[in-house]
Amino acid sequence: MEYGFLSVIPPIVAIILALKTKQVYIALLFGIWFSWLIVEGWNPLAGTLAMIEGMVNVFQSKGNTRTIMFSALVGALLIFIQYSRGVEGFINIINRKLVKLEEKKSGYSRVVVQVLATFTGLLLFVETSISSLTVGTLYRPIFDKLGIPREKLAYIADSSSAPSSILIPFNAWGAFIMGLLLTQGIEQPFSVMIASIKYNFYPLLAIVIVFIVVLTKKDFGPMKKAEKRTKETGALMNPNSKPMVSDAVTSFPPKEGIEAKAYNMIVPLLVMVFMMPVNLIYTGWGAVENASSLLNHASQAIGKGSGSSSVLYAVITALLVAMIMYFIQGIMKPKEAVTLTLKGISELMPLALLMLLAFAIGDACKVLDTGNYVANITQSWLSPELLPAIVFIVSSFIAFSTGTSWGTFAIMLAISIPMANMHGSDITIIVAATLGGGIFGDHCSPISDTSIISSMASASDHIDHVKTQLPYALIGGTVTVFMYLIIGFFG
């Protein structure tokens, strides 16, 4: 059955509700219900029951189920490294390095500290919240001591967290995106996601801009005024600012009476990252034919491997390694391990729920054939050359208005991928434009959870953080649009 214009109403309703309520869960749930209401001929009871079955059917896909399980278990791993004082040990190592900087001249110290803060944010790509929180709380004392404004710390924390998570997708972000791509019928989601990274210009530019600003010491706009204020008056914030304060790096208290050791954090995270490509090779090994060498076989296997299986096996391996390490050190007992695992899973249940709703609305839009309808009506006036830039702009608007990049990915990939197929555009470029737009809009939005966490961890006024970050984000976003136009028209 063809639904025509009705097929675009559910995602539009979801976007409008997200804008009005700022509650992406409610918006997605209502969008799913509205989709099935249309499918069931406007019968409210049948539509509601179909919605429930639609969400149950999400778990019929093994890939979706693995992705949701992975997201929940990542919460357990984060709780483990917090409880073991692994994060604290890592912070202590960095602090010892920072003390040595005090012997250097102030100008050198300021640059090196900001570079270290940026690298810390990039290295903690496993989860944006832990990245922003760690950078903010860890570097706040030394930034204050060196007279660096709180706005600059919040900017570094914010602009190094989400970009690194999307560019190094061995985390919940990667699993989520692979699940969405799988929902749209892409058979090798990991290969497409990895191939899209080189076209994901905004996150790359956001990181480059941070390093340029730090290394050249050339700020502009509100950030320049903030630097001038701190230099002249010593004030770390504006006179009427109200800092959002968070004194804790984590949401779970570490165990008392044990030594803080950095390897309790580093080893489990390295194991998880290392095991992802290993598992990709393992799961894709049997699908490779006519490989010229063992190395060639392995490289082909990575592209054919199951992304959802790989990330799930990787996080389970990391959890087992962490448990063994902590048992040997006497940090935890089996009963504590179970308690902490359940606690960690519960803390990331909102993320798992968001994934469930995102997969469900993607499936519903597929039944309505929303993406193909939008592609058909735009085929006559929207050229393939313009599509990447248009997709980036629309994704940016949705993410800015809703404050969530994940919700944006869920809505936009269900539309942009069929449009790419219809217009004959490169799928990897369109995927990159969708993801990059979500990050850009999220960076500019005052209701973004990542921005709010960065302000809290840095004890910065939130609106001041948004104002000072906005010019840098706009430069990255504007350059990105031009780059997509250049790619579209000139290849």
Side-chain angles (χ1 to χ4, degrees):
M1 180 178 177
E2 293 187 3
Y3 296 96
F5 177 73
L6 291 176
S7 66
V8 301
I9 294 180
I12 290 174
V13 167
I15 293 169
I16 292 173
L17 274 177
L19 298 179
K20 292 291 185 182
T21 66
K22 312 301 181 188
Q23 296 291 328
V24 71
Y25 296 97
I26 295 174
L28 287 173
L29 187 63
F30 195 83
I32 297 165
W33 178 78
F34 209 86
S35 298
W36 290 107
L37 185 66
I38 294 171
V39 172
E40 296 296 331
W42 304 101
N43 183 319
L45 178 60
T48 301
L49 295 177
M51 176 194 72
I52 295 170
E53 289 301 318
M55 288 192 287
V56 171
N57 289 338
V58 166
F59 294 98
Q60 286 187 354
S61 165
K62 293 180 180 179
N64 290 348
T65 305
R66 294 189 198 105
T67 302
I68 292 170
M69 288 177 64
F70 165 77
S71 301
L73 290 175
V74 164
L77 182 62
L78 293 176
I79 286 287
F80 272 30
I81 64 177
Q82 294 165 16
Y83 185 72
S84 70
R85 291 189 177 273
V87 176
E88 188 178 338
F90 178 74
I91 290 173
N92 291 340
I93 289 178
I94 299 296
N95 273 332
R96 285 196 292 271
K97 301 293 184 183
L98 294 178
V99 168
K100 296 179 181 179
L101 291 175
E102 293 301 299
E103 302 171 1
K104 306 287 184 180
K105 58 183 180 179
S106 178
Y108 177 79
S109 298
R110 285 172 58 91
V111 172
V112 173
V113 166
Q114 291 176 70
V115 169
L116 280 174
T118 306
F119 273 117
T120 303
L122 296 176
L123 291 172
L124 293 174
F125 60 86
V126 68
E127 215 280 317
T128 52
S129 296
I130 195 90
S131 174
S132 299
L133 284 167
T134 302
V135 170
T137 54
L138 165 60
Y139 288 94
R140 191 199 312 164
I142 193 69
F143 268 54
D144 290 355
K145 187 178 295 185
L146 295 174
I148 303 173
R150 295 275 177 82
E151 295 95 327
K152 178 64 75 65
L153 176 57
Y155 164 60
I156 291 173
D158 201 354
S159 294
S160 62
S161 57
S164 66
S165 293
I166 203 77
L167 294 173
I168 312 174
F170 299 109
N171 48 35
W173 288 64
F176 179 59
I177 293 163
M178 282 189 285
L180 294 175
L181 294 177
L182 202 61
T183 300
Q184 296 308 310
I186 294 178
E187 295 180 358
Q188 300 294 336
F190 180 79
S191 299
V192 171
M193 181 179 65
I194 295 299
S196 73
I197 291 174
K198 61 180 176 289
Y199 299 115
N200 204 346
F201 301 128
Y202 177 75
L204 291 167
L205 285 169
I207 295 170
V208 169
I209 290 170
V210 172
F211 280 111
I212 290 174
V213 168
V214 169
L215 294 174
T216 63
K217 307 178 187 177
K218 299 294 183 183
D219 289 288
F220 57 90
M223 189 70 80
K224 184 176 182 179
K225 293 180 180 178
E227 286 279 10
K228 183 180 179 182
R229 176 203 68 220
T230 303
K231 185 177 181 180
E232 293 179 352
T233 68
L236 298 170
M237 293 179 290
N238 287 321
N240 298 321
S241 296
K242 295 180 180 179
M244 300 181 72
V245 180
S246 174
D247 292 325
V249 177
T250 66
S251 59
F252 195 85
K255 184 168 184 177
E256 299 292 339
I258 62 171
E259 184 181 352
K261 298 175 181 177
Y263 62 75
N264 282 332
M265 180 188 83
I266 295 171
V267 171
L269 293 183
L270 285 179
V271 167
M272 185 176 74
V273 174
F274 173 75
M275 289 304 297
M276 286 181 184
V278 170
N279 290 327
L280 281 170
I281 293 173
Y282 172 74
T283 56
W285 191 266
V288 177
E289 298 177 0
N290 303 321
S292 58
S293 65
L294 190 64
L295 183 61
N296 181 256
H297 196 123
S299 64
Q300 290 187 50
I302 287 181
K304 294 180 179 295
S306 169
S308 59
S309 295
S310 300
V311 294
L312 179 60
Y313 301 162
V315 74
I316 290 174
T317 305
L319 278 169
L320 291 174
V321 168
M323 286 181 187
I324 293 170
M325 286 175 59
Y326 304 159
F327 290 161
I328 292 173
Q329 296 176 61
I331 294 174
M332 67 168 62
K333 298 176 181 178
K335 184 178 180 181
E336 288 177 300
V338 172
T339 302
L340 289 172
T341 300
L342 295 176
K343 172 66 176 174
I345 290 173
S346 68
E347 290 209 351
L348 280 197
M349 280 311 294
L351 174 59
L353 177 59
L354 179 59
M355 286 188 169
L356 169 63
L357 297 176
F359 293 149
I361 198 169
D363 288 341
C365 286
K366 201 169 182 180
V367 172
L368 291 171
D369 210 20
T370 304
N372 285 327
Y373 172 75
V374 173
N376 281 319
I377 64 172
T378 59
Q379 191 173 20
S380 60
W381 60 269
L382 181 59
S383 67
E385 292 82 6
L386 288 172
L387 187 58
I390 295 296
V391 166
F392 177 80
I393 292 170
V394 174
S395 295
S396 301
F397 172 74
I398 295 173
F400 174 80
S401 304
T402 61
T404 170
S405 51
W406 286 51
T408 300
F409 301 158
I411 294 170
M412 277 301 297
L413 284 175
I415 298 173
S416 62
I417 290 176
M419 289 180 71
N421 291 328
M422 182 66 67
H423 288 276
S425 299
D426 189 326
I427 287 289
T428 56
I429 297 176
I430 299 303
V431 169
T434 306
L435 302 180
I439 301 297
F440 171 54
D442 193 66
H443 269 173
C444 297
S445 177
I447 59 172
S448 160
D449 57 348
T450 309
S451 295
I452 290 171
I453 289 171
S454 298
S455 298
M456 289 175 59
S458 307
S460 170
D461 181 276
H462 181 53
I463 299 303
D464 287 345
H465 162 48
V466 174
K467 286 180 179 178
T468 51
Q469 177 169 270
L470 189 58
Y472 301 127
L474 288 174
I475 287 177
T478 303
V479 172
T480 297
V481 171
F482 280 110
M483 292 180 77
Y484 283 135
L485 289 173
I486 291 170
I487 282 184
F489 283 99
F490 301 106

